[in-house]
């Protein structure tokens, strides 16, 4: 899509000058033209002029007499006297009675002519000028001062090479959900006819990098309508009140361009729950209020559809999500195996790729990766191919770049001492062996002990077979056992422990805790939720919801659970001590072994 910055208007200056000119005309020029000079005279002069038959026109109003000389060139006025024969005398003096010597224009007409008309003319000129400027799309660099409070929304104009649903792989449910919006934007009249109204706002909810922005653009691309995009954090700027005016401006533009899509990224930046905390953010609240007002302000069928993205749906203000606002929620989840494969294929189209690449295998290895990470993996693979002087991206490139994206680059110059290398080899084999010996655990895909820039000294890549939506208590326990396997091997072989297991410990604890507080997998607490997840898509922070005594109890149970699995791991490794030594030896020599090699050795086939 072609991105066009909205034209800036240096027109404010023009309007200022126009206003000054109008004031000048009205205060100085107009009175000079309008007023005929009327001389005020005393009644005696009027009487003598009457006597001398010098009166031309005369008008007697309720509080004064206005008259002219014979030639009607001079105008006079005088007060009214109790003079009963005045009319007769004037008649005799040949004066003409007139009803309107001084034409009094109605005050309304005056107002219209002297104020409204010039203003209208100037505005018309202004509009014309701005239209002219808009034609020169892009516009010049407008003066900063005149642009504060403008939305700066990026506008993507219609274009045939826009993003389409076919570019977004994997998110089938989300696409299905959004297809209706596309349909609506194609033909709003159809919906008006039957009286149905589209939801004004659709909330795209999911972890970062899953393609929410892409989906919003694709909706606009499919419907072939303009796309306004703005990030929530852009609304909240340094000047108080600017956010609200930006919202106003954004919606004004959108209504002009309807039907269209307005996309607000990171809506949680403005849409956090209000109140509650000390020193609330006034600016944010104002901006949010303005957004709510705007959403309520337009009818359901104006053809403006607002899409918003967030990865913290729980923190949104309930006012935002109630019916009539963002009442439709479209989950955009991390892709599953099939989804990952599709996403890889979409991105692989952009690079030259070898024929024999097995996307499914790559997708399997990249479990848990988001769309953005997969895009990155393909790109890293292409870069690696270039570094190695190849013209095509190979399977090896892709596999290596998974590790690059997930674990960081290989640290070429980080040289482990021999002793360290040995420990790491046993540690990693410990994980893999425990995993392999528990029937329910997924087999390993690859083990390496090449240090990574992320700080990991070794790396065991487990492979999930197919998709897993439920996990049994046993599977979770086995997973904890596998996590403790590294440390268990160190203990068994070296009789001492190292710092290398900190990440394992963290994960094992988290898992054990979740089993007890959230999954109801302990004997004592039954199905009671003791913890709630507050931040589902970003790390999954939890908050405790139980008494201090229960907390103590939970802590005790977590320790018990992990300990039990740790013992199990130790036992497995003790029973398979020979295999452990053999495997660790091979890993130490080769630094990297694949899952197949691992299984071959484990099953007693001679090592390759
Ligand atoms: P979000 O808005 O959810 O954080 P984006 O839409 O900005 O994520 O995605 C970032 C990048 O990741 C996209 O530009 C695209 O290259 C890639 N990507 C993410 N999800 C997908 C997907 N489902 N299909 C194809 N590419 C994707
Ligand atoms: Zn480990």
């Amino acid at each position: 899509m072609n991105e066009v910055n909205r034209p800036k208007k240096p027109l404010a200056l023009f309007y200022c000058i126009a206003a000054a000119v109008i004031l000048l005309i009205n205060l100085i020029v107009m009175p000079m033209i309008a007023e005929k000079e009327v001389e005020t005279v005393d009644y005696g002069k009027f009487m003598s002029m009457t006597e001398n038959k010098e009166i031309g026109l005369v008008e007697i109003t309720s509080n004064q007499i206005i008259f002219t000389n014979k030639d009607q060139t001079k105008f006079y006025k005088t007060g009214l006297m109790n003079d009963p024969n005045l009319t007769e005398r004037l008649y005799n003096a040949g004066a003409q009675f007139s009803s309107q010597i001084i034409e009094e224009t109605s005050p309304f007409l005056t107002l219209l002519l002297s104020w409204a008309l010039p203003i209208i003319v100037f505005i018309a000129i202004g509009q014309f000028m701005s239209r002219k400027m808009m034609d020169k799309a892009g516009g010049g660099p407008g003066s900063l001062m005149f642009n504060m409070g403008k939305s700066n929304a990026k506008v993507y104009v219609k274009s045939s090479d826009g993003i389409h649903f076919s570019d977004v792989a994997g998110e089938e449910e989300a696409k299905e959900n959004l297809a209706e919006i596309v349909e609506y934007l194609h033909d709003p009249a159809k919906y008006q006819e039957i009286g149905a109204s589209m939801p004004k706002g659709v909330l795209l909810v999911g972890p970062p990098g899953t393609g929410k922005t892409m989906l919003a653009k694709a909706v606009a691309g499919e419907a072939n309508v303009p796309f306004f995009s703005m990030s929530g954090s852009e609304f909240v700027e340094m000047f108080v009140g600017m956010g609200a005016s930006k919202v106003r401006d954004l919606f004004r533009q959108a209504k002009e361009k309807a039907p269209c899509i307005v996309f607000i990224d990171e809506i949680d930046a403005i849409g956090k729950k209000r109140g509650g905390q000390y020193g609330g953010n006034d600016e944010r609240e104002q901006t949010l209020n303005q957004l709510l007002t705007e959403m309520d302000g337009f009818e359901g069928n104006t053809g403006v559809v607002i899409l918003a993205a967030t990865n913290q749906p729980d923190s949104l203000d309930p006012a935002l999500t109630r019916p009539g606002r963002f009442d439709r929620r479209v989950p955009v989840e991390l892709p599953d195996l099939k989804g990952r494969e599709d996403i890889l294929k979409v991105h692989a189209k952009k690079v030259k790729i070898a024929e024999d690449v097995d996307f499914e295998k790559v997708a399997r290895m990249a479990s848990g990766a988001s769309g953005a990470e997969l895009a990155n993996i393909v790109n890293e693979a292409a870069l690696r191919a270039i570094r190695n002087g190849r013209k095509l991206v190979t399977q090896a490139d892709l596999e290596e770049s998974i590790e690059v994206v997930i674990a960081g680059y290989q640290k070429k110059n980080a040289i482990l001492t021999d002793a360290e290398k040995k420990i790491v080899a046993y540690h990693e084999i410990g994980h893999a062996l425990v995993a392999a010996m528990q029937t329910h655990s997924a087999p390993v895909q690859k083990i390496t002990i090449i240090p990574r820039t992320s700080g990991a000294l070794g790396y065991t890549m487990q492979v999930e077979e197919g998709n897993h939506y439920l996990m049994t208590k046993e599977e979770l326990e086995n997973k904890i056992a596998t996590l403790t396997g590294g440390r268990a091997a160190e203990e068994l072989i070296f009789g001492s422990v190292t710092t290398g297991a900190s990440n394992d410990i963290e994960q094992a604890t988290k898992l054990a805790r979740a089993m007890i507080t959230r999954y109801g997998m302990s004997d004592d607490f039954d199905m009671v939720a003791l913890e709630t997840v507050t931040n589902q898509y970003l790390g999954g922070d939890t908050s405790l919801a139980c008494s201090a005594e229960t907390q103590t109890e939970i802590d005790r149970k977590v320790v018990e659970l992990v300990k039990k699995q740790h013992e199990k791991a130790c036992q497995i490794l003790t029973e398979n001590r020979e295999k452990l030594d053999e495997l660790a030896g091979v890993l130490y020599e080769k630094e990297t072994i694949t899952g197949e090699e691992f299984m071959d050795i484990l099953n007693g086939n001679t090592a390759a």
Side-chain angles (χ1 to χ4, degrees), residues 118-257:
I119 290 176
I120 290 170
V121 168
F122 275 118
I123 288 179
I125 295 173
Q127 286 293 316
F128 180 72
M129 280 169 59
S130 79
R131 205 62 54 78
K132 269 275 157 83
M133 267 182 255
M134 269 198 220
D135 289 346
K136 290 187 274 167
S143 160
L144 174 74
M145 201 179 80
F146 298 131
N147 283 309
M148 288 197 312
K150 287 284 190 301
S151 73
N152 304 326
K154 293 186 185 77
V155 185
Y156 293 85
V157 291
K158 299 182 202 181
S159 80
S160 50
D161 57 311
I163 293 181
H164 289 271
F165 276 157
S166 56
D167 299 316
V168 189
E171 304 292 345
E172 295 309 322
E173 295 83 8
K175 280 194 259 182
E176 214 165 277
N177 242 315
L178 293 169
E180 196 181 2
I181 309 269
V182 174
E183 182 76 6
Y184 166 73
L185 288 169
H186 267 307
D187 190 5
K190 192 166 85 186
Y191 287 74
Q192 278 154 15
E193 221 166 81
I194 201 167
S197 56
M198 257 295 124
K200 283 180 197 169
V202 177
L203 204 55
L204 300 169
V205 177
T210 44
K212 297 183 290 296
T213 312
M214 259 191 120
L215 275 166
K217 282 184 190 168
V219 170
E222 289 285 328
N224 203 19
V225 297
F227 177 78
F228 294 85
S229 136
M230 191 133 185
S231 168
S233 51
E234 281 175 62
F235 283 118
V236 187
E237 279 201 343
M238 52 181 169
F239 298 108
V240 176
M242 278 304 144
S245 89
K246 282 191 170 187
V247 172
R248 222 174 295 128
D249 189 61
L250 177 64
F251 277 83
R252 190 183 50 68
Q253 289 182 57
K255 275 182 250 180
E256 279 168 15
K257 290 261 166 29

Side-chain angles (χ1 to χ4, degrees), residues 398-456:
L398 283 164
E399 286 181 17
E400 168 60 23
S401 57
I402 292 173
E403 285 164 57
V404 168
V405 170
I406 294 172
Y409 284 96
Q410 289 186 2
K411 241 186 193 168
K412 287 275 160 52
N413 50 4
I415 299 166
L416 296 181
T417 63
D418 236 27
E420 280 171 336
K421 199 168 150 188
K422 207 164 185 176
I423 293 173
V424 175
Y426 270 102
H427 180 106
E428 295 305 328
I429 293 293
H431 282 306
L433 198 55
V434 173
M437 294 321 270
Q438 299 172 116
T439 43
H440 297 293
S441 291
V444 288
Q445 174 78 40
K446 182 173 179 177
I447 310 167
T448 93
I449 52 168
I450 300 168
R452 298 274 158 179
T453 46
S454 68

Side-chain angles (χ1 to χ4, degrees), residues 3 25 33 41 69 83 85 191 195 211 238 316 384 437 454 461 500 570 607:
E3 183 183 316
I25 291 175
I33 302 169
V41 294
N69 59 0
D83 192 343
N85 305 325
Y191 287 74
M238 52 181 169
L316 289 183
R384 185 172 183 266
M437 294 321 270
S454 68
M461 189 187 283
C570 284

